[in-house]
Amino acid sequence: MLTHWTVVTDAPNARVRSASATKAAGVSKRTIYDYYGGKEKLFLSAVEDPMAAHTVSFQDLLDRTLKSSVADETELEAALTALGRTFATEVASSDERTAVMRLMIAEAPHFPVLLRMPPEDRPVQRALADRLAELGARGLLDVPDPSEAAEFLGVLVTSRVNHRSWYGSIPLGEPEIDDLVAGGVRVFLRAYGPGAAH
């Protein structure tokens, strides 16, 4: 019927407004509410669709870079760096991902369901946690709480890229992204390498 992603992201000032939705879709407000049942459902649909696609691509990235079959600690650091570099580059360069993040930040106070999203509803973090747990079982990492370790790894390899690029607004060169990611991986391995103190 309509592209809810376009409808939502066409809203002025990063806020979702019914008038903007109806204008972008070329339908009446009643049609929007009949189809989605309300503005919240429209917004969540616009967020969930690109996030679902991102989950599929992240699983593929995980299988290509951070394989559970890595041989030793040296190979593990290289694999974590490859994962982080690709993931952080996507964060810095994907217009759609940037738009999703800005939209979620702008709308979270108006849609509390975003603030209550439990870990089980974060499939990317769950997939990464599972892979870290596999590596922990082989003695390559010390991850008593794989979900927490996955969250920290995500923060360490992407947060500085996010901040330095203003969530994709300022282009970053590959060498700068490489340095930011490598630093994050080093900190992660100090915290979660074999024998690390927690």
Side-chain angles (χ1 to χ4, degrees):
M1 185 188 79
L2 53 90
T3 305
H4 43 238
W5 171 246
T6 301
V7 169
V8 169
T9 54
D10 279 350
N13 303 321
R15 287 297 324 285
V16 179
R17 304 184 190 281
S18 299
S20 302
T22 57
K23 181 179 179 181
V27 298
S28 69
K29 184 184 293 188
R30 173 50 52 195
T31 301
I32 292 284
Y33 278 83
D34 285 346
Y35 190 80
Y36 289 102
K39 190 166 66 173
E40 180 173 296
K41 178 63 175 175
L42 167 62
F43 171 74
L44 292 177
S45 295
V47 170
E48 288 167 357
D49 282 4
M51 294 305 286
H54 173 64
T55 298
V56 173
S57 66
F58 182 80
Q59 184 64 60
D60 176 65
L61 171 62
L62 201 58
D63 291 340
R64 286 187 289 108
T65 55
L66 188 59
K67 300 177 181 179
S68 56
S69 59
V70 293
D72 53 34
E73 293 176 33
T74 300
E75 194 171 307
L76 173 61
E77 182 171 3
L80 287 167
T81 302
L83 170 68
R85 182 185 299 117
T86 306
F87 190 41
T89 300
E90 177 186 310
V91 167
S93 62
S94 170
D95 292 338
E96 183 178 73
R97 183 177 176 82
T98 297
V100 169
M101 294 302 298
R102 289 176 179 166
L103 189 64
M104 290 178 69
I105 291 169
E107 294 294 341
H110 308 281
F111 297 103
V113 65
L114 286 174
L115 305 177
R116 298 193 300 267
M117 187 180 293
E120 56 268 22
D121 289 339
R122 301 170 187 164
V124 166
Q125 183 175 324
R126 195 166 62 241
L128 181 54
D130 289 345
R131 184 58 48 86
L132 295 179
E134 292 173 14
L135 294 168
R138 295 183 51 217
L140 291 171
L141 290 172
D142 182 2
V143 283
D145 185 341
S147 182
E148 181 182 65
E151 186 172 1
F152 275 124
L153 179 58
V155 167
L156 288 167
V157 299
T158 63
S159 285
R160 288 199 298 163
V161 173
N162 276 331
H163 296 159
R164 192 77 61 90
S165 69
W166 283 76
Y167 285 88
S169 298
I170 301 172
L172 298 182
E174 288 186 10
E176 185 172 8
I177 292 175
D178 288 350
D179 286 345
L180 294 171
V181 169
V185 169
R186 286 195 300 271
V187 172
F188 178 81
L189 288 174
R190 289 192 190 105
Y192 289 102
H198 299 284

